[in-house]
Amino acid sequence: MRSFKAVKERLSNVQPSLLLDKSRILAVQLSSNMNEKWRFCICAFLIGYIFLLYRLKHDHQSVELSAYGNIVVTMTSSNDSDRHIPAVDMVYTAPENVVETMISSKDSDRHDPAIDMVDAAPENVVETMTSSNDHNNVYAAPGNIAITMRSSIDSDKHRPAADDDMQFLLPSKVREHGRKIMKKEDSCNIFDGKWVYDPKSSPLYHGSQCPFLSDQVSCQRNGRPDSEYEKWRWEAKGCQIPRFNGTNMLERLRDKRVVIVGDSINRNHWESLVCLLYSSIPSSRAEIDMDVNFKSFRSTEYNCSVEYYWSPFLVQLKQNQELGRVLTLDRLSDWERSCRGADVMIFNSGHWWLHNVQRWELFQYRGKLWENMKIRSAFLKAMKTWSRWIDHNVDKSSTKVFFRGLTALHYSKEWCYNRKQPIKDESFQFLNPIGDIVERIIGRMRTPVTYLNVTKLTQYRIDAHTSVYTIRQGKLLTPKQRRKPHSYADCSHWCLPGVPDTWNSLLYASMVMDDSSDSSTFSI
């Protein structure tokens, strides 16, 4: 009996040990299984990671190849475009206190932090006003961008340009927000070049051939003694710009309507284009309508028209009896009703924003009045309003849109008075404090917009302004006034014939080179 109990005790002691050993065996087996599973997962992850890297590299190459084949007018920058200009950043900084975010529309997923920083609302709200129901529901990269860039439409993901989105030119350096994507050696940026004295081929017409030229820009008729400023031709680096042909231009514009909208510099642009076309046809086959805020040229033979609409801000500026002049940043001026359906649109804005004489008392935005607002912030809001109207109302299959960049002013140290030669120093640079905003806005648009970046080519032409051979308040300057150039010289506008003819030569070159790059795209 005692031995039975002893055996029983030994068995009871052995069973837990056996159970423990079994547990250890099971744990080891489980651990082994887990290790195998982890090894399998790690192997699968590594294989997937390698495959993903391969696909990403393949997709990146596909995007580059697609962009190489399909993007025709994109962004190029001059040799100096990558240099940062701290002086501009110091002067034009965003407000410190952000009151509200100004990104609001169905298209706001195209988010640009750099723009949002500038777009912060200022602090001083003067008065809250009720927003009218008829507001336009269209609330709307650094460096010298030569033509245009194309951005994605409804997604944050960049995608290759479709065949029907091809634009005007294939530039030498394709850039998106200042980042180089690819390069093609056998093409050129027609806005990067130099001025060449060429008295045999310039000017393209004589002032006497354009009897409708305004007194503001008719320097020879107003008594300017020299005419050498008319004899310079713009030469692009690395390629030859097609020479302007008025008859060919008219043929391209047959049965089409061109509208030019902007300030008096764009009126300068309109007068130049009309003179180039008018001098190419018999005067009996042209009709000219000259009003204060509207001007029109029509060729009866080619059934085409070139119209000009005065709108220096593009957005609405109205006089209020109690408040004074109010600039409404989210409502376009009357041009938008008149320009619908045009085949070619050319816009500009900038000079009145930067003028030393303020043209408004208050800003209005989203029903509120603002007494103080950074100029860059206000300009950005206006440009968004413009760009969203273009995206909502322009058919890109039938209409080409251009935005001409800011032209150089020559006041202060670099004074235009009595200058007879262009600036030869290529390091000279006119600082454009709003150019980067224009470039970013164009880059975010769904509708392709060609950026006529004439800032660089105008910065050297200190000799070609109207200076004292112009009018003031509708009257020619008197000899006494001409002897006071610091008070009366106009270093903003340009003599005609002159520099604006080059802008139109480059417009024409865009059309010709578009045809040669791809005949399947819409061409004018």
Side-chain angles (χ1 to χ4, degrees):
M1 192 71 178
R2 189 175 295 172
S3 61
F4 176 78
K5 288 183 178 179
V7 170
K8 189 176 180 180
E9 269 182 3
R10 288 180 182 179
L11 286 175
S12 63
N13 291 333
V14 168
Q15 285 179 353
S17 176
L18 290 174
L19 290 173
L20 182 61
D21 290 339
K22 288 181 180 181
S23 299
R24 287 175 179 172
I25 292 170
L26 288 173
V28 169
Q29 290 177 345
L30 182 62
S31 175
S32 176
N33 291 337
M34 290 295 292
N35 288 335
E36 289 178 1
K37 289 181 180 179
W38 272 110
R39 282 195 292 270
F40 175 80
C41 290
I42 291 171
C43 290
F45 174 79
L46 289 174
I47 293 171
Y49 182 72
I50 293 170
F51 179 77
L52 179 63
L53 286 178
Y54 172 79
R55 290 300 302 170
L56 286 174
K57 182 177 180 182
H58 178 74
D59 290 343
H60 179 66
Q61 292 173 347
S62 299
V63 170
E64 287 186 348
L65 290 173
S66 178
Y68 190 86
N70 293 335
I71 296 179
V72 184
V73 170
T74 30
M75 295 176 63
T76 69
S77 71
S78 68
N79 295 333
D80 298 330
S81 63
D82 290 332
R83 295 187 300 181
H84 191 60
I85 304 174
V88 176
D89 293 341
M90 289 172 64
V91 176
Y92 296 92
T93 56
E96 296 179 359
N97 298 325
V98 179
V99 178
E100 59 178 330
T101 302
M102 295 302 181
I103 302 293
S104 69
S105 77
K106 295 178 180 178
D107 301 318
S108 61
D109 56 337
R110 298 192 301 278
H111 196 63
D112 190 335
I115 290 184
D116 294 347
M117 287 176 63
V118 179
D119 200 26
E123 294 181 354
N124 299 326
V125 180
V126 179
E127 171 182 356
T128 302
M129 298 183 66
T130 303
S131 301
S132 61
N133 294 328
D134 60 347
H135 275 204
N136 295 329
N137 293 321
V138 287
Y139 293 111
N144 295 325
I145 297 179
I147 311 177
T148 315
M149 70 178 182
R150 178 73 177 146
S151 70
S152 61
I153 298 179
D154 294 317
S155 172
D156 290 332
K157 297 180 181 178
H158 293 285
R159 62 187 185 184
D163 290 341
D164 60 352
D165 289 338
M166 296 172 69
Q167 302 172 35
F168 273 108
L169 290 175
L170 185 61
S172 58
K173 297 176 182 177
V174 179
R175 288 180 177 267
E176 182 176 6
H177 296 290
R179 184 180 71 254
K180 188 164 77 170
I181 300 173
M182 63 188 185
K183 183 176 180 180
K184 181 171 174 59
E185 299 295 342
D186 59 349
S187 55
C188 79
N189 168 13
I190 60 175
F191 296 95
D192 184 21
K194 62 181 180 179
W195 289 99
V196 177
Y197 185 69
D198 188 1
K200 292 184 179 180
S201 64
S202 300
L204 296 173
Y205 59 91
H206 293 283
S208 60
Q209 294 177 277
C210 298
F212 53 84
L213 270 182
S214 67
D215 290 335
Q216 185 181 36
V217 299
S218 301
C219 298
Q220 291 295 303
R221 194 167 70 205
N222 295 340
R224 179 165 177 168
D226 66 299
S227 61
E228 295 301 292
Y229 64 89
E230 297 180 346
K231 300 173 183 177
W232 293 82
R233 174 176 54 83
W234 179 253
E235 184 178 272
K237 293 179 181 179
C239 69
Q240 186 174 359
I241 300 173
R243 179 175 169 81
F244 185 89
N245 185 315
T247 303
N248 186 266
M249 179 76 157
L250 284 165
E251 189 61 50
R252 292 170 184 275
L253 296 177
R254 182 182 291 275
D255 299 324
K256 289 182 171 59
R257 179 177 172 230
V258 180
V259 297
I260 299 178
V261 183
D263 56 25
S264 56
I265 307 298
N266 246 19
R267 185 174 64 227
N268 223 173
H269 193 161
W270 177 86
E271 289 186 79
S272 165
L273 180 56
V274 170
C275 279
L276 288 164
L277 300 178
Y278 184 84
S279 60
S280 303
I281 59 175
S283 58
S284 60
R285 298 180 183 179
E287 299 173 354
I288 305 291
D289 184 3
M290 303 287 284
D291 201 350
V292 177
N293 295 326
F294 168 78
K295 303 181 188 304
S296 175
F297 158 84
R298 182 174 179 272
S299 167
T300 56
E301 179 180 354
Y302 292 91
N303 188 34
C304 68
S305 65
V306 183
E307 305 166 11
Y308 165 75
Y309 294 88
W310 165 260
S311 183
F313 297 107
L314 298 181
V315 293
Q316 186 183 92
L317 176 67
K318 280 197 172 183
Q319 180 74 32
N320 185 295
Q321 292 183 353
E322 297 179 356
L323 303 173
R325 295 167 297 180
V326 178
L327 186 59
T328 305
L329 303 175
D330 51 5
R331 182 183 298 175
L332 297 174
S333 57
D334 293 340
W335 64 263
E336 61 97 3
R337 290 191 294 271
S338 304
C339 295
R340 292 175 185 267
D343 301 283
V344 182
M345 296 178 169
I346 305 172
F347 297 92
N348 95 300
S349 188
H351 286 284
W352 277 47
W353 296 92
L354 305 173
H355 205 282
N356 56 1
V357 178
Q358 185 171 298
R359 305 287 182 164
W360 63 86
E361 275 74 47
L362 297 171
F363 293 108
Q364 182 175 337
Y365 184 68
R366 294 184 179 174
K368 296 179 180 180
L369 291 178
W370 308 86
E371 185 175 16
N372 298 314
M373 185 182 292
K374 298 277 187 183
I375 296 300
R376 279 174 59 87
S377 181
F379 180 71
L380 174 61
K381 291 171 177 57
M383 284 298 296
K384 284 182 178 179
T385 303
W386 168 81
S387 68
R388 288 173 183 165
W389 183 90
I390 295 293
D391 279 342
H392 284 80
N393 294 280
V394 169
D395 183 355
K396 64 182 179 182
S397 67
S398 60
T399 300
K400 289 297 180 185
V401 183
F402 297 83
F403 194 98
R404 184 182 53 73
L406 196 69
T407 58
L409 309 176
H410 293 98
Y411 292 99
S412 189
K413 181 180 178 181
E414 297 297 336
W415 194 255
C416 75
Y417 174 68
N418 207 26
R419 295 296 190 102
K420 298 181 181 180
Q421 291 287 321
I423 294 174
K424 301 295 178 62
D425 181 8
E426 292 191 5
S427 66
F428 173 76
Q429 189 173 24
F430 167 75
L431 298 182
N432 182 352
I434 57 176
D436 62 313
I437 294 177
V438 174
E439 293 159 8
R440 287 198 207 113
I441 289 293
I442 290 175
R444 298 172 67 194
M445 295 174 65
R446 294 195 299 265
T447 305
V449 177
T450 299
Y451 185 35
L452 299 174
N453 191 359
V454 299
T455 303
K456 181 179 179 179
L457 67 88
T458 59
Q459 70 186 8
Y460 303 121
R461 295 308 307 274
I462 196 170
D463 59 313
H465 290 288
T466 56
S467 187
V468 294
Y469 304 100
T470 186
I471 61 174
R472 178 66 66 90
Q473 295 179 344
K475 296 182 180 180
L476 287 174
L477 296 183
T478 65
K480 183 178 179 180
Q481 290 172 325
R482 289 181 181 178
R483 289 193 293 269
K484 299 178 180 179
H486 284 275
S487 299
Y488 292 97
D490 181 350
C491 297
S492 301
H493 297 90
W494 306 88
C495 296
L496 287 178
V499 170
D501 301 326
T502 298
W503 310 343
N504 287 306
S505 293
L506 297 178
L507 176 69
Y508 172 75
S510 298
M511 299 178 186
V512 172
M513 297 173 78
D514 175 49
D515 283 351
S516 63
S517 63
D518 193 326
S519 60
S520 67
T521 59
F522 168 80
S523 60
I524 54 177

